[in-house]
Amino acid sequence: MSIHTTPRGTARLRIAALVAVPVLALSVACQDDGGGARNSDEVASAPGNEGGNEGGTEGGTEKKPAATGKSAFFDAQMKYVRCMRGKAGLKDYPDPKLSGYLDWSKIDALVDPDGGGEEYKGGKNGVCVPELRAAMNLEPERDAQKDYESMLAHAKCMRENGVSKFGNPTMSGGNVLPGGETDPTDPTMDRDSPAYKEAREACEDKLLEGLDGMQ
């Protein structure tokens, strides 16, 4: 695997998903849909129509070139969103941002506080996990050092704005491990408190695109 930020964006659920999803995310990041090895460099550098006739015809039918890069990421996220609206029954599940990243602030508003965090984990019983896996595999490669510096600045800002227990991110094996709650299974911070929400709003510009919700 190449250097990347550990994908915990989908792991922002307060309790259960914080434990369950990182395991899924880490395994997904190293596999393609067929279970074979996938390097994120390969995704980023894949040509628009690998092994095909870009802009040509096949069997008498015009063949459109495959989307690549951010376009492919956005398209994959839209497939996941449509699955969440259809199969998962969340008809108001929001569109991804233009960057392709999910809009977590809007997703948060849909969360059933008495549910199991399906809104973060691909729907009930993981009905949309294949679509989630496909989108995660197409996320553009990130700069781990820049992500770390961004999350470190965010953690410092959160503490300066009254959330004294907000932990720093760490680097491990070339991967960025987000900060925030030091033990997600035993939360010490009330993320729904007015003070916490005010701090998040004050510090949201410290996080690079795609890092919102990761700590």
Side-chain angles (χ1 to χ4, degrees), residues 28 33 38 43 69 72-81 100-102 128-140:
V28 165
D33 290 336
R38 165 171 283 188
V43 175
F73 181 46
F74 180 87
D75 290 347
Q77 290 281 41
M78 275 303 306
K79 288 182 180 179
Y80 172 62
V81 166
Y101 289 101
L102 295 175
C128 295
V129 163
E131 288 79 5
L132 175 60
R133 177 182 294 119
M136 291 172 67
N137 279 337
L138 290 173
E139 179 185 9

Side-chain angles (χ1 to χ4, degrees), residues 82-168:
R82 286 194 288 269
C83 181
M84 291 296 283
R85 291 172 179 167
K87 293 181 180 179
L90 298 169
K91 62 183 181 62
D92 295 323
Y93 206 81
D95 284 347
K97 298 178 180 179
L98 292 178
S99 62
Y101 289 101
L102 295 175
D103 195 330
W104 291 110
S105 61
K106 293 181 179 179
I107 294 173
D108 282 343
L110 299 177
V111 175
D112 180 358
D114 299 321
E118 290 85 0
E119 299 87 352
Y120 299 115
K121 299 188 295 182
K124 188 174 182 179
N125 297 322
V127 66
C128 295
V129 163
E131 288 79 5
L132 175 60
R133 177 182 294 119
M136 291 172 67
N137 279 337
L138 290 173
E139 179 185 9
E141 186 174 5
R142 303 189 64 93
D143 185 316
Q145 183 62 36
K146 289 182 179 179
D147 284 352
Y148 170 75
E149 292 172 357
S150 171
M151 287 189 281
L152 183 62
H154 176 259
K156 180 180 178 181
C157 180
M158 290 293 287
R159 292 194 296 271
E160 290 175 345
N161 280 269
V163 187
S164 61
K165 296 182 179 180
F166 202 97
N168 286 335

